[in-house]
Amino acid sequence: LDYLCRLESDLAMQVNVRAYVEQNFRNCSLELVYFEMVANAIDADATNISIDISHGEPKAESLKITITDDGKGMDDDGYARFCMLLQGRDGGHKGVGRVSLLPNFDSITYTSYFSGKCRKMKFSYDFKADDCKVTKQQLLPHKSGTSVELEGYIKTRVWSDHYVTPSWIKDKLVN
């Protein structure tokens, strides 16, 4: 029985991320993207969170969003949870926030600083845990935090100018 318990704990169910996203995040808005990324930053004990938005005309084709925080960064335990869909940290977390990015952006890049290291990865439907690179930080060994860069907006248009207006975003996140 002990062998069976150890075997079960070493195995993880594989989830078809594309099918999961299509079923649960098909109509995912930019509002949810902001909410999920800010919630992740708060969970990482961030005290400063910035959302940088740039776009030209048309907005959809040129939209670029970068969310940066000064939280604890994605350490090895955090990365293990990141790699497991539906593995929330506790009962209040579902472990799916990052997938809200997939139906919205072609290019999703995470850069995270923690414990004198830098973890960089591209997140996509085909993401695998081995796709991540971890290097030692040379310049700022005590820096911590995460930056998520979102580019290649997939949808044909930004449904509302509010979604790229700082005062509207702040109001939605705070209230």
Side-chain angles (χ1 to χ4, degrees), residues 9-170:
S9 67
D10 291 339
L11 297 176
M13 180 181 289
Q14 297 294 317
V15 176
N16 181 328
V17 176
R18 188 174 302 276
Y20 181 82
V21 168
E22 287 174 6
Q23 289 175 353
N24 296 285
F25 291 93
R26 179 179 306 164
N27 297 317
C28 179
S29 70
L30 286 175
E31 183 179 359
L32 181 62
V33 168
Y34 298 132
F35 178 80
E36 291 294 348
M37 294 297 96
V38 169
N40 287 347
I42 291 169
D43 286 344
D45 299 325
T47 57
N48 293 296
I49 303 166
S50 99
I51 301 174
D52 296 312
I53 302 167
S54 64
H55 62 80
E57 290 299 330
K59 288 181 186 76
E61 292 175 11
S62 61
L63 183 62
K64 177 181 176 183
I65 300 171
T66 304
I67 298 102
T68 304
D69 69 61
D70 66 349
K72 62 184 174 185
M74 196 181 307
D75 61 12
D76 293 340
D77 289 339
Y79 184 65
R81 278 192 310 279
F82 180 92
C83 292
M84 297 287 293
L85 190 61
L86 303 172
Q87 279 296 119
R89 188 176 332 161
D90 55 40
H93 298 83
K94 296 180 213 142
V96 297
R98 67 199 164 282
V99 300
S100 68
L101 307 174
L102 294 170
N104 285 289
F105 295 94
D106 277 335
S107 177
I108 303 162
T109 304
Y110 281 80
T111 306
S112 191
Y113 299 95
F114 65 100
S115 304
K117 298 176 185 172
C118 176
R119 171 172 277 126
K120 189 164 187 163
M121 63 189 159
K122 291 273 194 185
F123 183 56
S124 69
Y125 285 107
D126 302 318
F127 177 78
K128 293 180 181 39
D130 297 339
D131 295 343
C132 175
K133 293 180 184 174
V134 177
T135 57
K136 285 198 180 257
Q137 285 189 95
Q138 301 299 327
L139 299 175
L140 301 168
H142 301 291
K143 179 179 179 177
S144 68
T146 299
S147 176
V148 183
E149 190 173 284
L150 310 169
E151 294 181 281
Y153 189 61
I154 294 170
K155 298 182 178 176
T156 56
R157 68 185 190 102
V158 175
W159 290 103
S160 170
D161 284 341
H162 295 302
Y163 289 142
V164 294
T165 306
S167 58
W168 183 87
I169 296 167
K170 179 181 174 186

